[in-house]
Structures are given as structure tokens and as C-alpha cells.
């Protein structure tokens, strides 16, 4: 892509122009040979110009718990406050047909001229709860909007990659589901910064689930992040505590700013993205050429530039062509 076209694309994304955002996301999802050079230039420039206060929130939880409905309520609240919002919604992929029903975008309806952009993605064969292009899409949307939501395909013992893409993680649960103990066993309760008992208007059942969660969190309360996860009862449909959830997310962002945690999380996100790209492209043989997983991580941590710059350097070091 010519330099002047790339400059125009970057400026369009920063201005939250929908056409430019769509073009940038298409560029990030391009898997053809030769696309990496343009992607590196685009991601590097966007990261350099993204306003520091822009924030990414991960929404995770079991399928059917109401994550999309809750996301819609949060986005509407931010729009009403004069802010902009982007969203990446990950949908499961059918193992039999290979297709995905990208339904979340259809359920979220906003005005054509509002400062919001929703992108649905298929998880394909990638584990971790994210889609292959999610991390790049987050860079694009974070450059454009004050708040970016990432809704995972679900949550299980392996779908925890959202913690390496988001500044704040919200775990959404529904009353009486019996998931709490399973999540504790899987270590998932150690990930979220905010826990939401959704469908709070169900009354006693919801209150009991919230009490169970608070008891479970007390057991795993030895949190090195110096932030006590908040447990909120929220109903997106009735509007109960949606504003409180938004205020809690703002408070968590303030906590990140006041500590070194934001820098640590974004550094870990860059390393996780570079390692994911490298391992996905070159597999076990590629990892062994660099001395194993621990050596690969050390190389990522010591490299400069974006995750795509790091990936390119690793491939060159291992003797691969990109």
C-alpha cells in the first residue's frame, strides 16, 4: 500500500470513520502472502497514535449468559455519555460445516451515525476463546474509540486468552447455573477484575449466586494485582446496575493507571500475540529452532516494536521466510 494511502487509512481510523475502520479490519484479516508488511506498518502506526486513555474490556462467560445483551447496554450507556465504542464479538465455528452464525452483530442495533462499530469473527479452529484476527482488530478499534469490548466465544478450562488482550476482564455468570465451583477448579475465578451476576432481576436465586461467588473469591483472595475483584448484580434488560458496572470499569482503569499493572498487561499482551503468531505459523519445529518455549518468550520480551515486528524478527532468526 502506498505511504499516502496508509497515512489516510490511519487518520480515518483515528477519526472513527466507519469506512476506514472496515478497511483496516479487512487488512488485518488478510492472510495472503505479502499482507504482513502492510499489517506491520498499519499496526505500528495505530499503536503509536492511540490515545492513552482508550481502554479494552473483555467480556467472558458461558454461552447464553447474556454477554451480548450486556455489551449492548454498556455501549448504549457510553454513547449516551458522548463516548465512542467498538466491539469484537467472537462466535463459535461448526466443526462439521466450518461455518459460523455471526449473530451478535444482528442483535446489537445502533444508529448509522453513532460512534460505534461492531465486528463479528468466527473462532475457527483456534482455542483460547478468541479468533485468529482478534488481537489486530482490538488495536484498530482501540485507536478509534474510548472503549472497546471483546466478547469471547465462551469460557472453559482453556478459553482464558481474553486476559492477554484486555485491560479489564469481566466474567459474566447467570444465577443458579452451578458454574462457580467449576470455574474455581479451572482457575478462571483468578482472572476477572469484575464479576457480574447477570439477570439480577431473578431475585433470591441471583442473590444466592452472588453470595456464593463472594465466598469463593474470599478463598482465592491472595491477589498479587492489589485489586479486589468486585461482584455486581446486573440486569441489562431492566437496566439494573449497568451504570454501576461502567463506573467500576472506570475505577479499575484508574487503578491500572495509578500502578504499573497497565504497562505489565499490555506488555504481556504483545508477547502473547507474537508467540501465538509464531507458534501458529511454524509449529513445534519453529519453537525448537529457537530453543523451546521459555527461550521463545525471552526473545519476545526483549524485542522492540509491535507484536508483528517481534514475529517477523523471530521468523528471520529461525531461518523462516514470512
Amino acid at each position: 500500500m502506498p505511504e499516502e494511502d496508509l497515512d489516510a487509512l490511519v487518520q480515518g481510523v483515528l477519526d472513527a470513520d466507519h469506512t476506514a475502520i472496515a478497511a483496516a479490519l479487512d487488512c488485518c484479516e488478510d492472510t495472503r502472502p505479502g499482507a504482513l508488511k502492510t499489517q506491520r506498518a498499519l499496526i505500528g502506526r495505530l499503536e503509536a497514535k492511540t490515545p492513552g486513555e482508550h481502554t479494552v474490556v473483555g467480556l467472558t462467560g458461558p454461552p447464553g449468559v447474556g454477554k451480548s445483551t450486556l455489551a449492548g447496554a454498556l455501549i448504549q450507556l457510553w454513547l449516551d455519555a458522548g463516548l465512542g465504542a467498538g466491539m469484537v464479538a467472537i462466535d463459535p465455528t461448526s466443526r462439521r460445516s466450518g461455518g459460523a452464525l455471526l449473530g451478535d452483530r444482528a442483535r446489537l442495533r445502533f444508529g448509522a451515525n453513532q460512534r460505534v462499530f461492531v465486528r463479528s469473527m468466527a473462532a475457527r479452529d483456534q482455542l483460547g476463546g478468541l479468533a485468529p484476527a482478534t488481537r489486530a482488530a482490538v488495536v484498530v478499534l482501540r485507536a478509534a474509540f474510548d472503549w472497546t469490548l471483546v466478547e469471547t466465544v465462551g469460557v472453559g478450562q482453556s478459553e482464558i486468552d481474553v486476559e492477554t488482550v484486555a485491560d479489564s476482564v469481566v466474567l459474566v455468570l447467570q444465577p443458579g447455573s452451578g458454574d462457580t465451583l467449576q470455574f474455581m477448579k479451572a482457575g478462571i475465578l483468578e482472572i476477572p477484575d469484575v464479576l457480574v451476576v447477570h439477570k439480577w432481576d431473578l431475585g433470591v436465586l441471583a442473590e444466592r449466586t452472588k453470595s456464593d461467588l463472594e465466598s469463593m473469591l474470599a478463598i482465592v483472595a491472595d491477589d498479587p494485582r492489589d485489586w479486589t475483584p468486585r461482584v455486581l448484580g446486573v440486569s441489562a434488560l431492566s437496566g439494573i446496575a449497568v451504570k454501576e458496572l461502567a463506573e467500576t470499569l472506570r475505577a479499575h482503569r484508574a487503578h491500572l493507571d495509578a500502578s504499573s499493572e497497565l504497562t505489565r498487561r499490555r506488555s504481556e499482551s504483545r508477547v502473547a500475540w507474537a508467540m501465538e503468531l509464531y507458534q501458529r505459523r511454524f509449529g513445534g519445529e519453529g519453537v525448537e529452532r529457537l530453543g523451546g518455549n521459555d527461550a521463545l518468550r525471552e526473545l519476545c520480551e526483549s524485542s522492540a516494536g509491535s507484536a508483528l515486528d517481534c514475529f517477523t524478527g523471530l521468523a528471520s532468526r529461525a531461518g523462516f521466510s514470512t
Side-chain angles (χ1 to χ4, degrees):
M1 179 182 293
E3 282 292 314
E4 57 271 25
D5 290 349
L6 185 59
D7 288 340
L9 181 59
V10 169
Q11 189 57 53
V13 171
L14 293 170
D15 293 339
D17 176 78
H18 284 193
T19 301
I21 292 171
L25 292 173
D26 288 345
C27 174
C28 292
E29 292 186 86
D30 191 347
T31 58
R32 293 175 299 178
L36 180 60
K37 182 179 179 181
T38 301
Q39 292 166 352
R40 283 177 56 200
L42 175 64
I43 294 299
R45 295 188 192 192
L46 286 175
E47 287 185 334
K49 296 186 176 182
T50 297
E53 69 273 18
H54 287 192
T55 305
V56 180
V57 176
L59 277 181
T60 191
V65 74
K67 297 189 295 293
S68 298
T69 307
L70 182 60
L74 268 176
I75 290 173
Q76 190 59 60
L77 186 145
W78 287 327
L79 293 176
D80 291 344
L83 303 172
M87 178 174 171
V88 183
I90 317 299
D91 284 290
T93 299
S94 168
R95 290 189 176 183
R96 177 168 296 182
S97 67
L101 180 61
L102 305 179
D104 290 320
R105 186 167 51 178
R107 290 205 296 266
L108 298 170
R109 297 185 179 277
F110 302 100
N113 297 320
Q114 289 186 292
R115 292 181 60 204
V116 59
F117 194 103
V118 179
R119 183 76 154 203
S120 291
M121 291 183 170
R124 300 182 183 174
D125 59 345
Q126 179 155 318
L127 299 176
L130 304 178
T134 299
R135 298 179 191 277
V138 166
V139 172
V140 173
L141 294 178
R142 190 177 70 195
F145 300 111
D146 305 271
W147 293 90
T148 297
L149 290 174
V150 181
E151 180 192 339
T152 71
V153 68
V155 66
Q157 293 190 8
S158 62
E159 285 80 28
I160 57 174
D161 280 357
V162 67
E163 72 168 336
T164 62
V165 76
D167 301 321
S168 304
V169 176
V170 179
L171 176 62
V172 187
L173 300 169
Q174 67 179 3
S177 65
D179 292 325
T180 309
L181 181 58
Q182 292 302 319
F183 288 156
M184 184 180 176
K185 288 163 62 179
I188 293 172
L189 287 185
E190 300 167 16
I191 296 172
D193 305 293
V194 184
L195 296 96
V196 167
V197 179
H198 201 204
K199 306 175 185 178
W200 186 248
D201 37 13
L202 289 179
V204 174
L205 190 60
E207 293 172 10
R208 187 179 305 145
T209 299
K210 182 172 182 283
S211 177
D212 288 345
L213 269 177
E214 289 170 337
S215 298
M216 294 289 184
L217 286 172
I219 298 174
V220 295
D222 187 18
D223 192 333
R225 298 171 297 179
D226 195 26
W227 165 267
T228 302
R230 313 283 172 81
V231 184
L232 304 175
V234 180
S235 172
L237 282 180
S238 62
I240 296 174
V242 175
K243 185 176 180 181
E244 184 181 358
L245 173 58
E247 290 173 349
T248 301
L249 291 172
R250 186 177 294 280
H252 184 249
R253 175 56 205 259
H255 162 75
L256 295 177
D257 286 337
S259 66
S260 60
E261 184 64 11
L262 183 64
T263 301
R264 189 199 67 78
R265 290 190 180 199
R266 291 192 173 174
S267 175
E268 178 58 28
S269 175
R270 188 185 70 89
V271 169
W273 186 6
M275 291 182 67
E276 178 183 295
L277 286 172
Y278 186 82
Q279 291 167 335
R280 188 177 181 83
R281 179 76 173 273
F282 303 116
E285 180 190 349
V287 174
E288 288 307 311
R289 284 196 191 186
L290 293 177
N293 271 318
D294 290 344
L296 175 62
R297 169 169 285 277
E298 288 178 8
L299 288 170
C300 290
E301 291 173 344
S302 62
S303 71
S306 72
L308 297 187
D309 293 330
C310 179
F311 163 75
T312 304
L314 292 172
S316 176
R317 186 184 184 99
F320 293 113
S321 171
T322 58

